Amino acid sequence: MVNSDRKIRNPSAWAGFWQAALLFASLAVAIALLAGGESPSESLRIAQGGLQPYWWNDRVFYEVFIRSFQDSDGDGIGDIQGLIDRLDYLNDGDPDTDNDLGVSGIWLMPPAQAHSYHGYDVTDYYAVEPDYGGLADMRRLVAEAHRRGIAVIVDMVLNHSSSRHPWFLSSRLGEGPYADWYIWRDENPGYRGPWGAPAWHRAGDRYYYGVFWDGMPDLNYENPAVTREMYDIANFWLDEIGVDGFRLDAIKHIIEAGERQENTPESRAWLSAYEAHLELVKPNSFTVGEIFSGPSFIVARFVEERAIDIGFDFKLADEMISAAQRGSNRDIARAHRTALRDYPAQQFATFLTNHDQDRLANRLRFDVGANKAAASLLLTGPGVPFLYYGEEIGMAGSKPDERLRTPMHWDDSRLAGFTGADRAWQPLQDAGNIAAANVAAQTGDGDSLLSHYRRLIHLRNENAALRRGAFTAVDSSERGIYAFLRHDAAQILLVIINLSDEQIAGFTLSLDASELDLAAPTLVYGVGALAAPRLNDAGGFADYAPVPVLAARGMLMIQF
């Protein structure tokens, strides 16, 4: 149920609010930058020594579906306490250990009360899904994560609610305070959604707009009262629960302009005001947006207009996977150049797959080497990396959606250590995938996919140039070798990845010119007899052969 004490504010009081909020937020950000930019989150300040602006660039995030991560009470459904019990797997809080995954941020798929299993049709934004626990459990999760230095962001579903939300049930009546909280028409406008599905749905003698399906009616953000309520919801999660930000779902659909149903200027304007409000409530809070729109420049526009802090780059994700599939550097090099050109200061989110896509293991046909190459691209490249739960062990999963979100494999038992019940909420993957892709089996294997992820995440944590450093492409004589420099004022790293399924001998690298000091190389990661480059008058090099051979899907990291 929605909280009955949440009142509808006077819409006239919000005239001009968005513009004022943007101005005040800009001043707040400037003050934070001058003051060193610490976050007001005391628990994170204690754990991390102060969060600076753009703190998310120092993190690797891990996407968790609570329902499928760990069941603590034996009902076959994952819950918050189960996630708390597994936090040490993600990060034990001790930087001197390397048997945890090393992630320092988690993104929770919607934890709010919802009608469907996935949580994206919310029925109460101020309550936790009862299958998962309660608000006290959520507060304890945030505290335990912060104690380990893990930031917590939650999925915020802004575009729509459930058709079973009390707001919508009241709005259907056509009168009262919620009458225009959704988008209603007396006649069916007749046009379909942007991917051809029905967008207008009949309710009695009227029609309402729901771009995804009739169970998710779109909220009407032309009504200031809806905006005010969404601000209050953000306040609740930031202040009362203590989360550090939000993953913003489906934000290209926030406000439609007739048949133009995606990426409207009105959507970006609304989100810019929302972002400004979040900065006022909790300076340096974090937003990452889902704008599933192809080219980088479309997503980058949301970032440039300060509608979000960063956005997921779906095109770059596809090209990283393609590079691992094809064993070629051509398209990934272009995708990196495009992202670095389009986004300001590496403010984009990188990932391989998420809860809406076939899992990486399936897309790479269960080739462990190809999975490792994709991981190498993700975790050494620019941007802010996000990792979908189970990706680090090679979990299987292909459409329909429920089969992309199956329980985590902790061991090779029948229900993979996920639950003590007789059955899980969703059948697990087949026994063969459980046997090969589970945490217990891969933990003791230094050559496993999990070990590769652990090493790379810890490597990123230990090297600032990988997290925030500039990116300079390096030419290779072989299409299967992808090489680039990551560098800042204190560190220069050369990353070399063999994308192919065969070892490559005799390859050479070239860089026309450089102002970097590329002398005295040392090997940070990988194996091989290392040679130094012979620098030209412009500070670059030609025909540099750093090692005689690089193993199939292998990686080297060299520090100068």
mmCIF file of all heavy atoms in Angstrom, residues 25 52-53 77-78 93 122 127 144 162 171 195 257 303 307 338 365 372 393 403 433 482 492 504 521 536:
data_model
loop_
_atom_site.group_PDB
_atom_site.id
_atom_site.type_symbol
_atom_site.label_atom_id
_atom_site.label_comp_id
_atom_site.label_asym_id
_atom_site.label_seq_id
_atom_site.Cartn_x
_atom_site.Cartn_y
_atom_site.Cartn_z
ATOM 1 N N ALA A 25 21.890 23.563 -7.651
ATOM 2 C CA ALA A 25 22.738 22.370 -7.718
ATOM 3 C C ALA A 25 24.113 22.715 -8.266
ATOM 4 O O ALA A 25 25.126 22.202 -7.803
ATOM 5 C CB ALA A 25 22.090 21.297 -8.583
ATOM 6 N N GLN A 52 35.257 11.744 -3.243
ATOM 7 C CA GLN A 52 35.491 12.917 -4.058
ATOM 8 C C GLN A 52 34.471 12.966 -5.202
ATOM 9 O O GLN A 52 33.815 11.982 -5.503
ATOM 10 C CB GLN A 52 36.913 12.855 -4.634
ATOM 11 C CG GLN A 52 37.999 12.758 -3.572
ATOM 12 C CD GLN A 52 38.000 13.939 -2.627
ATOM 13 O OE1 GLN A 52 37.881 15.066 -3.065
ATOM 14 N NE2 GLN A 52 38.111 13.689 -1.337
ATOM 15 N N PRO A 53 34.339 14.125 -5.841
ATOM 16 C CA PRO A 53 33.515 14.170 -7.060
ATOM 17 C C PRO A 53 33.971 13.104 -8.059
ATOM 18 O O PRO A 53 35.162 12.814 -8.176
ATOM 19 C CB PRO A 53 33.769 15.584 -7.588
ATOM 20 C CG PRO A 53 34.127 16.380 -6.367
ATOM 21 C CD PRO A 53 34.893 15.440 -5.491
ATOM 22 N N ILE A 77 13.658 -18.354 -2.196
ATOM 23 C CA ILE A 77 13.733 -17.018 -2.779
ATOM 24 C C ILE A 77 14.891 -16.268 -2.145
ATOM 25 O O ILE A 77 15.006 -16.209 -0.912
ATOM 26 C CB ILE A 77 12.415 -16.244 -2.553
ATOM 27 C CG1 ILE A 77 11.250 -16.965 -3.230
ATOM 28 C CG2 ILE A 77 12.535 -14.810 -3.076
ATOM 29 C CD1 ILE A 77 9.893 -16.376 -2.893
ATOM 30 N N GLY A 78 15.742 -15.690 -2.969
ATOM 31 C CA GLY A 78 16.835 -14.881 -2.443
ATOM 32 C C GLY A 78 16.310 -13.691 -1.670
ATOM 33 O O GLY A 78 15.221 -13.179 -1.925
ATOM 34 N N GLY A 93 36.362 -6.046 2.572
ATOM 35 C CA GLY A 93 36.758 -4.819 3.243
ATOM 36 C C GLY A 93 38.231 -4.711 3.560
ATOM 37 O O GLY A 93 38.686 -3.689 4.071
ATOM 38 N N VAL A 122 6.397 -1.382 -9.857
ATOM 39 C CA VAL A 122 6.372 -1.070 -8.428
ATOM 40 C C VAL A 122 4.939 -0.822 -7.959
ATOM 41 O O VAL A 122 4.153 -0.150 -8.631
ATOM 42 C CB VAL A 122 7.255 0.154 -8.139
ATOM 43 C CG1 VAL A 122 7.194 0.542 -6.661
ATOM 44 C CG2 VAL A 122 8.698 -0.114 -8.562
ATOM 45 N N ALA A 127 8.354 0.934 0.307
ATOM 46 C CA ALA A 127 8.431 -0.357 1.002
ATOM 47 C C ALA A 127 9.370 -1.285 0.253
ATOM 48 O O ALA A 127 9.550 -1.173 -0.966
ATOM 49 C CB ALA A 127 7.040 -0.992 1.110
ATOM 50 N N GLU A 144 26.250 -2.592 6.197
ATOM 51 C CA GLU A 144 27.264 -3.644 6.067
ATOM 52 C C GLU A 144 28.085 -3.456 4.795
ATOM 53 O O GLU A 144 29.293 -3.713 4.777
ATOM 54 C CB GLU A 144 26.593 -5.022 6.070
ATOM 55 C CG GLU A 144 26.075 -5.455 7.432
ATOM 56 C CD GLU A 144 27.207 -5.690 8.422
ATOM 57 O OE1 GLU A 144 28.293 -6.130 8.011
ATOM 58 O OE2 GLU A 144 27.001 -5.407 9.614
ATOM 59 N N SER A 162 3.310 0.064 -11.432
ATOM 60 C CA SER A 162 2.421 -1.066 -11.726
ATOM 61 C C SER A 162 0.996 -0.566 -11.942
ATOM 62 O O SER A 162 0.571 0.434 -11.356
ATOM 63 C CB SER A 162 2.451 -2.054 -10.565
ATOM 64 O OG SER A 162 1.447 -3.044 -10.722
ATOM 65 N N SER A 171 -6.484 6.610 -10.140
ATOM 66 C CA SER A 171 -6.515 7.391 -11.379
ATOM 67 C C SER A 171 -7.540 6.849 -12.365
ATOM 68 O O SER A 171 -8.142 7.617 -13.131
ATOM 69 C CB SER A 171 -5.119 7.387 -12.005
ATOM 70 O OG SER A 171 -5.036 8.241 -13.111
ATOM 71 N N TRP A 195 8.785 0.312 -30.655
ATOM 72 C CA TRP A 195 9.212 -0.965 -31.240
ATOM 73 C C TRP A 195 8.029 -1.751 -31.801
ATOM 74 O O TRP A 195 8.118 -2.944 -32.031
ATOM 75 C CB TRP A 195 9.985 -1.806 -30.221
ATOM 76 C CG TRP A 195 9.293 -1.965 -28.897
ATOM 77 C CD1 TRP A 195 8.371 -2.914 -28.560
ATOM 78 C CD2 TRP A 195 9.463 -1.139 -27.744
ATOM 79 N NE1 TRP A 195 7.948 -2.725 -27.272
ATOM 80 C CE2 TRP A 195 8.611 -1.649 -26.748
ATOM 81 C CE3 TRP A 195 10.248 -0.028 -27.460
ATOM 82 C CZ2 TRP A 195 8.532 -1.063 -25.465
ATOM 83 C CZ3 TRP A 195 10.164 0.548 -26.203
ATOM 84 C CH2 TRP A 195 9.320 0.029 -25.223
ATOM 85 N N ALA A 257 6.524 13.288 -26.618
ATOM 86 C CA ALA A 257 6.009 14.445 -27.353
ATOM 87 C C ALA A 257 5.189 13.904 -28.519
ATOM 88 O O ALA A 257 5.684 13.772 -29.641
ATOM 89 C CB ALA A 257 7.151 15.335 -27.837
ATOM 90 N N VAL A 303 24.311 12.999 -20.571
ATOM 91 C CA VAL A 303 25.400 13.329 -19.661
ATOM 92 C C VAL A 303 25.803 14.789 -19.825
ATOM 93 O O VAL A 303 25.991 15.518 -18.842
ATOM 94 C CB VAL A 303 26.607 12.401 -19.897
ATOM 95 C CG1 VAL A 303 27.750 12.733 -18.939
ATOM 96 C CG2 VAL A 303 26.199 10.927 -19.721
ATOM 97 N N ALA A 307 21.706 15.514 -17.146
ATOM 98 C CA ALA A 307 20.492 14.782 -16.820
ATOM 99 C C ALA A 307 20.816 13.531 -16.011
ATOM 100 O O ALA A 307 19.965 13.025 -15.271
ATOM 101 C CB ALA A 307 19.751 14.402 -18.099
ATOM 102 N N THR A 338 35.100 6.381 -30.338
ATOM 103 C CA THR A 338 33.811 7.071 -30.386
ATOM 104 C C THR A 338 33.336 7.450 -28.987
ATOM 105 O O THR A 338 32.887 8.574 -28.760
ATOM 106 C CB THR A 338 32.762 6.172 -31.068
ATOM 107 O OG1 THR A 338 33.187 5.884 -32.399
ATOM 108 C CG2 THR A 338 31.400 6.848 -31.098
ATOM 109 N N ARG A 365 29.533 -18.677 -26.659
ATOM 110 C CA ARG A 365 29.483 -20.129 -26.869
ATOM 111 C C ARG A 365 30.342 -20.889 -25.866
ATOM 112 O O ARG A 365 31.000 -21.867 -26.192
ATOM 113 C CB ARG A 365 29.895 -20.457 -28.310
ATOM 114 C CG ARG A 365 28.974 -19.826 -29.340
ATOM 115 C CD ARG A 365 29.322 -20.242 -30.752
ATOM 116 N NE ARG A 365 28.404 -19.622 -31.714
ATOM 117 C CZ ARG A 365 28.428 -19.850 -33.018
ATOM 118 N NH1 ARG A 365 29.342 -20.681 -33.522
ATOM 119 N NH2 ARG A 365 27.559 -19.261 -33.818
ATOM 120 N N LYS A 372 37.377 -14.555 -20.958
ATOM 121 C CA LYS A 372 38.498 -13.862 -20.322
ATOM 122 C C LYS A 372 38.904 -12.629 -21.124
ATOM 123 O O LYS A 372 39.202 -11.566 -20.560
ATOM 124 C CB LYS A 372 39.686 -14.807 -20.171
ATOM 125 C CG LYS A 372 39.513 -15.876 -19.101
ATOM 126 C CD LYS A 372 40.774 -16.738 -19.010
ATOM 127 C CE LYS A 372 40.656 -17.781 -17.919
ATOM 128 N NZ LYS A 372 41.882 -18.621 -17.823
ATOM 129 N N ILE A 393 31.714 -16.194 -13.314
ATOM 130 C CA ILE A 393 31.916 -17.651 -13.278
ATOM 131 C C ILE A 393 31.421 -18.329 -14.551
ATOM 132 O O ILE A 393 31.509 -19.554 -14.679
ATOM 133 C CB ILE A 393 31.239 -18.293 -12.041
ATOM 134 C CG1 ILE A 393 29.751 -17.940 -11.968
ATOM 135 C CG2 ILE A 393 31.970 -17.893 -10.760
ATOM 136 C CD1 ILE A 393 28.980 -18.647 -10.869
ATOM 137 N N ARG A 403 14.985 -16.800 -17.540
ATOM 138 C CA ARG A 403 16.148 -17.680 -17.648
ATOM 139 C C ARG A 403 17.465 -16.901 -17.716
ATOM 140 O O ARG A 403 18.540 -17.509 -17.685
ATOM 141 C CB ARG A 403 16.015 -18.587 -18.877
ATOM 142 C CG ARG A 403 14.753 -19.428 -18.898
ATOM 143 C CD ARG A 403 14.607 -20.265 -17.632
ATOM 144 N NE ARG A 403 15.691 -21.243 -17.501
ATOM 145 C CZ ARG A 403 16.052 -21.807 -16.356
ATOM 146 N NH1 ARG A 403 15.457 -21.466 -15.225
ATOM 147 N NH2 ARG A 403 17.020 -22.704 -16.348
ATOM 148 N N ASN A 433 26.251 -26.872 -16.536
ATOM 149 C CA ASN A 433 26.682 -25.496 -16.308
ATOM 150 C C ASN A 433 26.971 -25.260 -14.832
ATOM 151 O O ASN A 433 27.943 -24.580 -14.486
ATOM 152 C CB ASN A 433 25.624 -24.514 -16.806
ATOM 153 C CG ASN A 433 26.087 -23.067 -16.724
ATOM 154 O OD1 ASN A 433 25.477 -22.238 -16.060
ATOM 155 N ND2 ASN A 433 27.193 -22.745 -17.398
ATOM 156 N N TYR A 482 45.230 -6.166 -29.430
ATOM 157 C CA TYR A 482 44.689 -4.840 -29.119
ATOM 158 C C TYR A 482 45.554 -4.229 -28.025
ATOM 159 O O TYR A 482 45.721 -4.815 -26.950
ATOM 160 C CB TYR A 482 43.238 -4.949 -28.667
ATOM 161 C CG TYR A 482 42.550 -3.613 -28.484
ATOM 162 C CD1 TYR A 482 42.668 -2.616 -29.442
ATOM 163 C CD2 TYR A 482 41.757 -3.352 -27.373
ATOM 164 C CE1 TYR A 482 42.030 -1.390 -29.297
ATOM 165 C CE2 TYR A 482 41.107 -2.136 -27.215
ATOM 166 C CZ TYR A 482 41.258 -1.163 -28.181
ATOM 167 O OH TYR A 482 40.622 0.050 -28.034
ATOM 168 N N ILE A 492 52.129 5.302 -16.072
ATOM 169 C CA ILE A 492 51.891 4.966 -17.480
ATOM 170 C C ILE A 492 51.824 3.450 -17.591
ATOM 171 O O ILE A 492 52.771 2.748 -17.206
ATOM 172 C CB ILE A 492 53.028 5.486 -18.387
ATOM 173 C CG1 ILE A 492 53.234 6.985 -18.214
ATOM 174 C CG2 ILE A 492 52.730 5.163 -19.850
ATOM 175 C CD1 ILE A 492 54.513 7.491 -18.848
ATOM 176 N N ILE A 504 50.069 -15.555 -30.519
ATOM 177 C CA ILE A 504 50.604 -14.698 -31.579
ATOM 178 C C ILE A 504 52.063 -14.394 -31.264
ATOM 179 O O ILE A 504 52.376 -13.849 -30.197
ATOM 180 C CB ILE A 504 49.800 -13.401 -31.720
ATOM 181 C CG1 ILE A 504 48.346 -13.724 -32.114
ATOM 182 C CG2 ILE A 504 50.432 -12.474 -32.753
ATOM 183 C CD1 ILE A 504 47.459 -12.515 -32.270
ATOM 184 N N PRO A 521 60.634 -0.159 -18.906
ATOM 185 C CA PRO A 521 59.396 -0.916 -18.695
ATOM 186 C C PRO A 521 59.562 -2.026 -17.658
ATOM 187 O O PRO A 521 60.616 -2.659 -17.551
ATOM 188 C CB PRO A 521 59.120 -1.502 -20.076
ATOM 189 C CG PRO A 521 60.471 -1.633 -20.709
ATOM 190 C CD PRO A 521 61.252 -0.451 -20.208
ATOM 191 N N ASN A 536 61.600 7.157 -30.779
ATOM 192 C CA ASN A 536 62.000 8.042 -31.868
ATOM 193 C C ASN A 536 62.103 9.482 -31.350
ATOM 194 O O ASN A 536 61.879 9.760 -30.167
ATOM 195 C CB ASN A 536 61.026 7.928 -33.043
ATOM 196 C CG ASN A 536 59.600 8.291 -32.640
ATOM 197 O OD1 ASN A 536 59.372 9.115 -31.772
ATOM 198 N ND2 ASN A 536 58.627 7.654 -33.295
#
